Amino acid sequence: MHESKRLAKLPTYVFALLDQLKSEQRAQGKDLIDLSIGSPNVPPPPAVVEALKKALDNPQNHRYSSFEGNPEFKQAVVDWCKRQYEIDIEKNEVVELIGSKEGLVHLAFATLDPGDRVLVPLPAYPAHFRGPILAGAEVFVLPTIEKNGFIPDLDNIDESIAKKSKMLILSYPTNPTAACAPKSFFEKAVTFAKKHDIILIHDFAYAELYFEGKKPPSCLAVKGAKDVCVEFHTLSKTFGMAGWRVGFAVGSKEILDLIRKMKTNLDYGPFGAIIKASVAALKTPNDYLDNMRATYQKRRDIVVDGLNSLGWSLKKPMAAMYVWAQVPAGFNSMSFTNELMDKTGVVVSPGTGFGELGEGYIRISLVDTNQRLAEAIERLQKAGIRFHA
Ligand SMILES: Cc1ncc(COP(=O)(O)O)c(C=O)c1O
């Protein structure tokens, strides 16, 4: 079958390869501890599940959703943004999404032309570079390294590169490195975007998944950011609703109108009953989030302390649901991922799934119970897997 040039241009999807390997291992009856995908397993608030059940009984919810979005949901987003991040959003500055991945990729199609340049710090969540590539744009990599806290140096971008760029895609806390950025970095990013007439995207998927009380800043909290910036949120991570497919984007109305226009040609927005239940989610008392954070923090400690007892010297990440760890000498990302799967049944993501700069690393997702994570460490120890430079 003919594959479009657009699709063929994408780098290999490492996770599809990983899926195949997992199936082979499972077919052999192996008990895998799957820490590869960032699919949250903390259940949504019970009131949200109840709200969905109730919403299913409303025949109106079985019809198409409105292109304009649900006013109650938009109001809940406005209130949420004020309550959580002290940012002022109008109802017409909200777009409902069928998950933020959908929005990120469609945004690329709505705003980029073939040949347009997009600045993307790597390693990154794959949609940040795959979306622009699918839209025919050219990705200009901003390398990020551990020494610089995985934050790109915007001052070092050549004027000629910046001038020809159309978009900058940021995401802090970051998947896969779990790096966080201070408000001063976002101030710099907003100034940079304004100076060079660049659309600034901030994927804030892990906004609520932070540890030790260190709340990550919203890019929209920077004065004047709304002129150039759109921020993406997801209920997947915040409320354990990854399978529900619901998120939203807020910020520059001009940019959001383009996403909306794109979406009117593609879909009808999220299922009405899910939107109704999402309103309940956004009204959830904050102790749900406190418990969710405590759960992931405990898991982080088990994995980081465990790996450090096996020779790694990892710092504890302050946000997100990932541990980003170097592979031992003699391995690359994929060969170490294979070694772990073969010898221990522990499945991680090879760093190369997040761009070439992820080579030499693996990402461990904290998506199983404390007991299973402790068992994963024990399996490594029993198999004699240790870190050595
Ligand atoms: C940074 C980032 N953005 C977006 C997503 C996708 O979220 P959603 O479930 O809303 O599509 C993920 C999922 O892992 C992510 O890590």
Side-chain angles (χ1 to χ4, degrees), residues 78-195:
V78 167
D79 297 343
W80 168 264
C81 287
K82 186 73 187 166
R83 172 158 63 108
Q84 301 299 111
Y85 317 111
E86 289 177 25
I87 53 177
D88 293 309
I89 298 291
E90 303 288 328
K91 275 200 323 207
N92 63 6
E93 294 166 340
V94 180
V95 172
E96 296 170 359
L97 300 171
I98 309 172
S100 56
K101 183 180 189 182
E102 175 266 306
L104 285 162
V105 175
H106 286 147
L107 165 82
F109 279 92
T111 56
L112 300 171
D113 285 316
D116 279 345
R117 180 174 292 155
V118 182
L119 305 172
V120 187
L122 287 187
Y125 176 59
H128 296 169
F129 51 92
R130 288 173 174 269
I133 294 173
L134 274 175
E138 180 201 314
V139 170
F140 185 87
V141 175
L142 304 179
T144 67
I145 51 169
E146 200 164 347
K147 206 174 88 199
N148 299 338
F150 295 105
I151 294 176
D153 184 358
L154 298 180
D155 294 330
N156 234 349
I157 299 173
D158 204 86
E159 278 284 313
S160 64
I161 300 285
K163 230 185 248 165
K164 286 198 196 131
S165 299
K166 195 106 183 256
M167 184 181 284
L168 167 63
I169 304 181
L170 301 175
S171 181
Y172 291 96
T174 301
N175 172 10
T177 61
C180 297
K183 190 172 173 197
S184 56
F185 172 71
F186 289 114
E187 284 163 353
K188 199 173 254 192
V190 169
T191 306
F192 175 84
K194 287 192 172 185
K195 178 174 174 200

Side-chain angles (χ1 to χ4, degrees), residues 99-101 125 171 175 203 205-206 234 236-237 245 322:
S100 56
K101 183 180 189 182
Y125 176 59
S171 181
N175 172 10
D203 179 354
Y206 300 94
T234 175
S236 298
K237 317 287 176 179
R245 310 312 303 133
Y322 307 111

Side-chain angles (χ1 to χ4, degrees), residues 240-282:
M241 292 165 65
W244 296 49
R245 310 312 303 133
V246 59
F248 56 89
V250 290
S252 156
K253 183 173 176 306
E254 225 181 318
I255 305 169
L256 292 173
D257 281 345
L258 296 175
I259 303 180
R260 216 177 270 123
K261 182 171 175 187
M262 185 78 203
K263 283 171 66 59
T264 55
N265 290 287
L266 290 161
D267 62 57
Y268 291 89
F271 175 28
I274 286 178
I275 282 293
K276 189 76 191 164
S278 299
V279 172
L282 293 170

